[in-house]
Amino acid sequence: MAHAVSIWLLVAAFFGAGVFNAVGTADTRRDFARWGYPAWWGRLTGGLEIVAAF
């Protein structure tokens, strides 16, 4: 039971982070740029996190 719950929590975390990165709030985009990533990196990261959730 605990194993299944931990898997679903991980799925929810990846999906939530993916949506947050894919939507790309101004702060998120600014952070990615500050870290030296290109402008499209947040959307790619978000997409990969959403795919990983499934």
Side-chain angles (χ1 to χ4, degrees), residues 27-45:
D27 289 335
T28 305
R29 287 191 305 269
R30 188 172 29 252
D31 285 341
F32 276 116
R34 183 173 47 114
W35 296 328
Y37 293 106
W40 50 267
W41 192 258
R43 295 199 190 277
L44 175 69
T45 303

Side-chain angles (χ1 to χ4, degrees), residues 7-8 10-12 14-16 19 46-54:
I7 289 173
W8 282 108
L10 187 61
V11 167
F14 266 94
F15 186 78
V19 169
L48 290 173
E49 287 170 335
I50 291 169
V51 168
F54 292 105

